[in-house]
Amino acid sequence: MQAAFEYFIAILVSDAYLAKLLTHIGLDDSLIGIIASFISAAFLFQLTSVFFVQRIRNVKRTVIFFNILGCLLFVSLYLIPFLPGTVAFKSALVIVCLLLAYFGNYFVASMLFKWANSFVDPNKRGEYSATKEMISLLSGMVFTLAVGMVIDRLEALDRLTAGFLFIACAGLILSVCCFVCLLMIGGDVRSAGDTADTETAEPAAPRHSLRDVLANTLGNRSFVNVVILMSLWHMAQYLTVGFLGTFKTTDLLLSVGTVQLINIGSNLVRFCISKPFGRYSDKTSYARGMQLAMMLAAGAFFINIFTTKTTWWCIILYTILYNASFAGTNQNSYNILYSYVNADYFVEAMAIKNSISGVLGFAASLVGAKVLSAIQANGNAVFGIPMYGQQLLSLISCLMVLICILFLRCVIARQKVMKQ
């Protein structure tokens, strides 16, 4: 339930909703794409947990405080249009709120993941992750459709600001629900190395020096290969994905409701294949599960190369394949660490992996913004050929995902797997 409520909040600050808010404030497409990709750079905040995780005496309390702080800051984004001030002031406020919100969430993300997963059978992590995602997806479809209809209705009545207020209220309620769920998970957790349930808790994990942490993470060749893989994957994603929100609503002229209907359909496909993907990953390996999923992502970016106003339906195929790929990439990108990193260093390894890949992903979004601005300034043409910037970015992303697949097959999948 906590994962579902947090997922709902994530929906409200992504894709068409965030694009609609930022466009209303007065930001241009390239800046919107960069801001939409902040989630990638925000992974850098997880790196701070490497230095503090050994000092935290109560993980549950720490996770709840920072997680809910992040949720409330996300909600506050939709109150910014009601504030007086210039576009520059509001833009700066959006960036500050997003950065602080992502810091709150990602500072404790790896701790929350390990704490919550301490209740899960190691042999069924893939299936459990799939079940958790299925619950979020199914309820998220209803949530997305309802909110999309409300926003479209209010926008048609020229009351878009009322729609922002509605989203803010919904986000506040979801934050309270998330808070209650976190309170109900497990007992008092004394340190990041403990299990979550005090009735079956093991002795606290030994404190590790920074040298030990680095030796068992960046000094571990198998882990370094995972970092390389995830960095390529995030670069492929954020080079293009952050710029598709405005592409759908501005260039393809799709309404927010239509965009959300497409998202619902694609999430339904993801829902249907999540359990098979989870079982496949448990039966073979998390690496094999990711390899299969990235084939879907490569197909998605390939199809998006041909998306124009006349072939707008290609965005539907792209969305279905891209979202379906998350059935094998989303949770496996976390679970794969169990295969190659000692569990005592799991939190630090996740923080390092997410930080490095996140920063490189954000750097890719900056490159994407430059490419998009140059193509738009040239009248949406490349060497005289009519083309949207998002089409060229999709081509590059497709090639990068193909490299990821080869790296998975030839390197990651051949590494020795740890059972823990």
Side-chain angles (χ1 to χ4, degrees):
M1 291 173 64
Q2 185 275 334
F5 292 134
E6 195 170 49
Y7 174 60
F8 295 166
I9 294 175
I11 289 174
L12 295 178
V13 292
S14 63
D15 201 42
Y17 293 119
L18 183 61
K20 186 70 68 175
L21 172 68
L22 299 181
T23 300
H24 178 81
I25 291 175
L27 279 67
D28 59 36
D29 286 0
S30 59
L31 185 56
I32 289 174
I34 294 173
I35 291 176
S37 299
F38 268 0
I39 186 174
S40 179
F43 280 128
L44 182 62
F45 294 133
Q46 285 197 33
L47 196 58
T48 58
S49 66
V50 172
F51 304 99
F52 293 100
V53 66
Q54 299 295 332
R55 302 178 185 179
I56 294 174
R57 303 301 301 171
N58 191 304
V59 169
K60 181 174 182 177
R61 187 181 304 161
T62 304
V63 166
I64 290 176
F65 175 78
F66 283 99
N67 185 274
I68 299 305
L69 175 65
C71 291
L72 293 176
L73 284 168
F74 279 134
V75 172
S76 69
L77 288 172
Y78 287 92
L79 299 178
I80 292 177
F82 298 95
L83 299 177
T86 63
V87 172
F89 169 74
K90 292 181 180 180
S91 300
L93 199 56
V94 165
I95 293 173
V96 170
C97 285
L98 275 174
L99 287 175
L100 291 177
Y102 281 128
F103 173 77
N105 274 1
Y106 286 114
F107 175 66
V108 296
S110 52
M111 303 178 211
L112 172 57
F113 185 85
K114 184 178 180 182
W115 166 37
N117 269 0
S118 66
F119 295 100
V120 182
D121 183 344
N123 296 313
K124 295 184 179 180
R125 287 195 187 105
E127 186 172 352
Y128 165 75
S129 297
T131 301
K132 182 175 66 173
E133 284 198 349
M134 289 168 70
I135 293 172
S136 294
L137 286 171
L138 190 61
S139 54
M141 291 176 200
V142 178
F143 176 80
T144 299
L145 179 61
V147 176
M149 290 175 64
V150 170
I151 298 301
D152 278 348
R153 177 61 176 169
L154 290 173
E155 186 175 18
L157 296 174
D158 198 24
R159 297 180 59 193
L160 185 58
T161 52
F164 295 150
L165 185 60
F166 168 78
I167 292 178
C169 292
L172 179 60
I173 294 172
L174 291 170
S175 298
V176 172
C177 293
C178 199
F179 174 72
V180 172
C181 288
L182 287 172
L183 285 177
M184 296 175 68
I185 298 177
D188 178 34
V189 184
R190 297 186 304 280
S191 72
D194 291 342
T195 54
D197 194 339
T198 53
E199 295 181 2
T200 59
E202 299 173 356
R207 298 288 185 250
H208 303 295
S209 66
L210 182 59
R211 179 178 296 180
D212 289 335
V213 170
L214 294 177
N216 285 275
T217 52
L218 295 179
N220 176 349
R221 183 59 182 270
S222 295
F223 170 70
V224 171
N225 286 334
V226 172
V227 174
I228 293 173
L229 169 70
M230 296 313 302
S231 296
L232 287 171
W233 170 239
H234 280 163
M235 289 170 69
Q237 286 182 290
Y238 291 106
L239 180 71
T240 302
V241 176
F243 305 100
L244 294 182
T246 52
F247 183 55
K248 296 172 186 175
T249 57
T250 304
D251 296 310
L252 302 183
L253 302 178
L254 300 177
S255 68
V256 173
T258 300
V259 171
Q260 297 312 317
L261 281 174
I262 295 172
N263 289 339
I264 288 171
S266 63
N267 283 336
L268 183 60
V269 174
R270 177 180 170 186
F271 175 86
C272 294
I273 67 175
S274 285
K275 185 75 76 170
F277 255 110
R279 288 172 178 165
Y280 176 77
S281 298
D282 283 332
K283 184 177 180 180
T284 56
S285 68
Y286 301 128
R288 294 291 184 187
M290 291 186 69
Q291 180 181 321
L292 182 59
M294 285 188 181
M295 291 180 182
L296 296 178
F301 286 119
F302 178 77
I303 289 175
N304 207 41
I305 296 171
F306 306 100
T307 302
T308 64
K309 283 184 180 179
T310 54
T311 59
W312 63 269
W313 48 268
C314 285
I315 202 70
I316 299 177
L317 299 178
Y318 158 83
T319 307
I320 291 174
L321 288 175
Y322 182 68
N323 282 11
S325 72
F326 284 140
T329 60
N330 196 24
Q331 292 299 325
N332 279 343
S333 66
Y334 296 100
N335 287 333
I336 197 171
L337 292 183
Y338 286 111
S339 298
Y340 307 115
V341 179
N342 187 300
D344 290 340
Y345 302 91
F346 186 90
V347 173
E348 294 91 339
M350 181 180 291
I352 292 172
K353 172 184 72 71
N354 290 345
S355 298
I356 294 175
S357 62
V359 168
L360 292 175
F362 181 68
S365 74
L366 297 179
V367 174
K370 290 290 185 182
V371 172
L372 181 62
S373 295
I375 294 177
Q376 289 180 337
N378 197 39
N380 285 325
V382 179
F383 301 120
I385 303 173
M387 179 182 296
Y388 290 108
Q390 288 86 345
Q391 290 178 280
L392 179 60
L393 294 176
S394 293
L395 172 61
I396 300 172
S397 291
C398 179
L399 295 175
M400 294 178 71
V401 175
L402 290 175
I403 294 174
C404 288
I405 294 171
L406 289 174
F407 191 73
L408 267 166
R409 183 179 182 85
C410 300
V411 180
I412 303 290
R414 296 182 179 181
Q415 295 179 162
K416 184 178 179 181
V417 174
M418 301 169 61
K419 269 294 184 181
Q420 54 182 343

